Each structure stands twice: as structure tokens, then as C-alpha cells.
Amino acid sequence: MGNRLEQAGSPHSRRIIPMSYAIIGFGSIGQALARAFARNNIEVTVASRRPPEALLPQAQAIGPRVIPGTLQEAVKADVIILAVLFEGHRDIGKLLADWKGKTVIDAMNTNDPVETLDNLPSSAFAARSFPGARFVKGFNHLLSRTLATDPKVEGGHRVVFLSSDDEAATAQVADLAKRLGFAPVNLGKFDEGGALVQARGRVWGPLIFQDLFKQQP
């Protein structure tokens, strides 16, 4: 899942193209995730409302493979992590008319009452702003200072919970999580196990902020 096949010339000619990654939002969560990419020598574009040059000092302090870019450059990536405030997701969604072919990872949280979200889990609500995208909830349940630390501890790996209504997309993000050193746990669909890591009616899901580890077999 870390690469994709692309047709090149004849039906029998294919080349492997590395997946490209971006983090939109470069606050505490975005920087914590950037550290995970840098730790594993995986290039990632980082972007926010601020110009790339404003992000450069923090990006350079994290690692040389953390590349500041514009929002327009970030949405060209194959896999995009949303690390913005929840109320900002609609503006990000407007950057593309069609998100087909993109995997979007929702690392956002919100305390908005469910009535304002059409009684949907927040990820299902946010996904509406990204038509065509493969939308996955993930990396949202840990505090930023925890997420920033090395997930490999004493033979175990820090758990990240994933949920999506698209099983193939969950598998793709699980592969990325493993490459970043985490132990992914699939909770199922947004309105099933996924509800365990989403706020409902101003009440946090029971797995929010739980720092759990999974021992390697």
C-alpha cells in the first residue's frame, strides 16, 4: 500500500510510483504527525493557511523530509491527513471539486452537538465535504504530546484506532500506520465501532485519549 501501480505505454508495461503524503494543518497535531513521518524517513508535505516560508523553521527542526507547501500543493498528494480545526474542514474540501483517487484521514475532533451534524458521526459529516474521497478516521484519539513521541516502546507499538465505511481505505491507512511505527486497530464503520473515538453530544467517546500499546506477536 506504500506504492501504486501506474500504466506506462503498453498494457504490459507498468511502473511502481511511491505514494505521496501531505498533512494539512501544522499545529500541535500536524507537527506530531510530521515527526512520525520524519522518524521513518518518509517524505511528507505540510501545509496550512500560512505561507510555506512561515512553516519552514518548524519543518526544518523536525527533519529534512518534512516539506512546507501551499494548500494547493498539499491536495495533490495521494494520502492527505486533516489536522485542522473541525470547523475548517469545509474550506479544505472546496480546494478540489472532485476528491476521487484521494485517501483523506480525519485526525480532527469536535464537540459540536450531533444535532448540528445532522445526527451523524463527525467523520461521516465531514466526509460530505470531500466528494469521491476514501475517508478514514484515524490518529485523532491521542493527545499531541503523546502522538509526537516514538510509538515503539519495549517491544510494543502504540495503538491508533481507525474507522471508515470503506474497508479498503482502512486497510490502506493501516499499512501507513504500521510504516509509521503504530499498531492499527480497525473499529469498523463510523457509526459502529468508530463511535468509540468520536464525540457525541459533547461527550467524548470512551477510547479518546487512551494511550494503549499492542505487543508484537
Side-chain angles (χ1 to χ4, degrees), residues 20 23 30 48 66 113 116 157 176:
S20 55
I23 301 167
S48 75
V66 178
T116 66
H157 293 250
L176 172 61

Side-chain angles (χ1 to χ4, degrees), residues 128-198:
R128 292 177 169 182
S129 295
F130 299 84
R134 307 167 77 189
F135 210 82
V136 181
K137 188 79 168 178
F139 299 100
N140 70 297
H141 86 282
L142 294 169
L143 295 171
S144 59
R145 63 176 179 269
T146 303
L147 189 61
T149 60
D150 192 335
K152 302 174 186 177
V153 179
E154 296 180 358
H157 293 250
R158 177 169 280 118
V159 166
V160 290
F161 295 111
L162 306 178
S163 61
S164 178
D165 292 342
D166 184 326
E167 290 184 8
T170 303
Q172 181 189 30
V173 177
D175 182 77
L176 172 61
K178 291 176 183 177
R179 291 182 66 202
L180 295 177
F182 294 93
V185 173
N186 181 6
L187 297 177
K189 295 184 177 181
F190 292 139
D191 64 352
E192 296 175 348
L196 296 173
V197 289
Q198 302 200 40

Side-chain angles (χ1 to χ4, degrees), residues 45-206:
T45 298
V46 295
S48 75
R49 294 181 185 275
R50 294 182 291 162
E53 55 268 24
L55 309 182
L56 188 59
Q58 292 164 313
Q60 288 181 328
I62 294 172
R65 305 210 72 186
V66 178
I67 312 298
T70 64
L71 290 172
Q72 289 73 19
E73 289 169 336
V75 297
K76 292 178 182 178
D78 300 306
V79 179
I80 299 159
I81 304 176
L82 296 179
V84 298
L85 295 175
F86 185 79
E87 53 265 31
H89 76 269
R90 293 184 182 87
D91 290 336
I92 304 302
K94 293 174 183 176
L95 293 172
L96 293 177
D98 185 358
W99 289 77
K100 187 176 180 180
K102 307 288 184 184
T103 298
V104 177
I105 303 173
D106 172 15
M108 305 177 294
N109 287 314
T110 180
N111 273 325
D112 289 353
V114 293
E115 294 78 14
T116 66
L117 305 178
D118 295 338
N119 290 309
L120 293 171
S122 62
S123 289
F125 182 85
R128 292 177 169 182
S129 295
F130 299 84
R134 307 167 77 189
F135 210 82
V136 181
K137 188 79 168 178
F139 299 100
N140 70 297
H141 86 282
L142 294 169
L143 295 171
S144 59
R145 63 176 179 269
T146 303
L147 189 61
T149 60
D150 192 335
K152 302 174 186 177
V153 179
E154 296 180 358
H157 293 250
R158 177 169 280 118
V159 166
V160 290
F161 295 111
L162 306 178
S163 61
S164 178
D165 292 342
D166 184 326
E167 290 184 8
T170 303
Q172 181 189 30
V173 177
D175 182 77
L176 172 61
K178 291 176 183 177
R179 291 182 66 202
L180 295 177
F182 294 93
V185 173
N186 181 6
L187 297 177
K189 295 184 177 181
F190 292 139
D191 64 352
E192 296 175 348
L196 296 173
V197 289
Q198 302 200 40
R200 297 286 292 181
R202 299 188 183 278
V203 177
W204 288 114

